[in-house]
Amino acid sequence: MINCILIGPQGSGKGTQAEMIVQKYGLTHIETGLMIRKRAQYHDKKAELMNHLTNKMGILLPDGIILDMIFNELAEKPSEKGYLFDGFPRTVKQYESLKELLNQKNQMITTALYLNISDKEAIKRISSRRLCPKCGKGYSILSDPSRIVCDCGGILIKRIDDEPDIVSKRLELFHKTTQPILELMKKDGILSEFNGQDQIYIISDNISKILDKYL
Ligand code: AMP
């Protein structure tokens, strides 16, 4: 069993690498951003709050809401091969709580993969990012300029929180709130860092070298 965390700023290529990892290693994908976008489509107070915090303010949802979502998701999706956590944990509290939650199931975090890119590159990539509102798949018009329709038939849109003023807030939050987790992961001996500006296949190969060790 592999419980893997994929961590990196917006636009670092987590989505692309997550797809490879899930396909190759059969892990269950837990992507909090996608879970929140789906939940935020409901017409209730919680959805209103989620939309306000993510799309208008560009800030993180409270740890309590996220941890409840993760708790329920793990209970609903038991996995023999393990989980790929993508976009979670994003705060020290979330990291410590995940360790505790897995510990209660006699499991642990096997490894954490950090995709490191500069803010300049992140901003460039995010401005070219498109999303399918139907299935949640992401595309880049840098690598696929003529793409306007998703493989599932959905018409691609630009995410509201990918607008430049929100993006700079989200990157600032990554440095301030999420980056401190990296130090803890290092101390826990689970962190591997990758240059997110390498070619996609080079990053995938390097990630595979790490994950193959746990098969
Ligand atoms: P993402 O698609 O991962 O960039 O997430 C979109 C937005 O959802 C973020 O900007 C946050 O507002 C919220 N979000 C996603 N994951 C988390 C998390 N682990 N903790 C708090 N907020 C989150």
Side-chain angles (χ1 to χ4, degrees), residues 54-111:
T54 58
N55 294 330
K56 292 219 173 70
M57 312 277 291
I59 60 175
L60 297 181
L61 294 191
D63 286 334
I65 293 186
I66 298 292
L67 291 168
D68 272 358
M69 283 173 60
I70 293 289
F71 187 86
N72 292 334
E73 193 78 354
L74 296 193
E76 275 169 26
K77 294 183 177 168
S79 177
E80 269 181 29
K81 297 210 163 156
Y83 296 96
L84 176 68
F85 297 99
D86 172 358
F88 171 87
R90 260 175 153 105
T91 64
V92 168
K93 164 87 181 151
Q94 289 180 16
Y95 178 58
E96 296 299 349
S97 301
L98 176 63
K99 285 203 287 189
E100 240 176 77
L101 185 58
L102 291 176
N103 198 23
Q104 283 164 15
K105 295 174 187 284
N106 289 321
Q107 294 181 36
M108 57 191 280
I109 301 169
T110 318
T111 187

Side-chain angles (χ1 to χ4, degrees), residues 162-182:
D162 278 352
E163 292 302 334
D165 53 333
I166 303 281
V167 166
S168 50
K169 270 194 204 161
R170 291 166 69 210
L171 282 173
E172 208 181 300
L173 255 181
F174 177 80
H175 294 304
K176 210 172 124 198
T177 313
T178 306
Q179 224 157 359
I181 308 174
L182 299 175

Side-chain angles (χ1 to χ4, degrees), residues 82-146:
Y83 296 96
L84 176 68
F85 297 99
D86 172 358
F88 171 87
R90 260 175 153 105
T91 64
V92 168
K93 164 87 181 151
Q94 289 180 16
Y95 178 58
E96 296 299 349
S97 301
L98 176 63
K99 285 203 287 189
E100 240 176 77
L101 185 58
L102 291 176
N103 198 23
Q104 283 164 15
K105 295 174 187 284
N106 289 321
Q107 294 181 36
M108 57 191 280
I109 301 169
T110 318
T111 187
L113 313 171
Y114 170 39
L115 300 182
N116 189 3
I117 58 164
S118 67
D119 281 4
K120 195 173 160 211
E121 178 68 14
I123 288 166
K124 185 174 124 198
R125 289 185 187 182
I126 292 168
S127 66
S128 346
R129 191 155 82 166
R130 298 294 179 269
L131 173 80
C132 173
K134 215 167 136 191
C135 72
K137 188 168 175 181
Y139 292 88
S140 167
I141 56 166
L142 281 178
S143 54
D144 198 353
S146 56

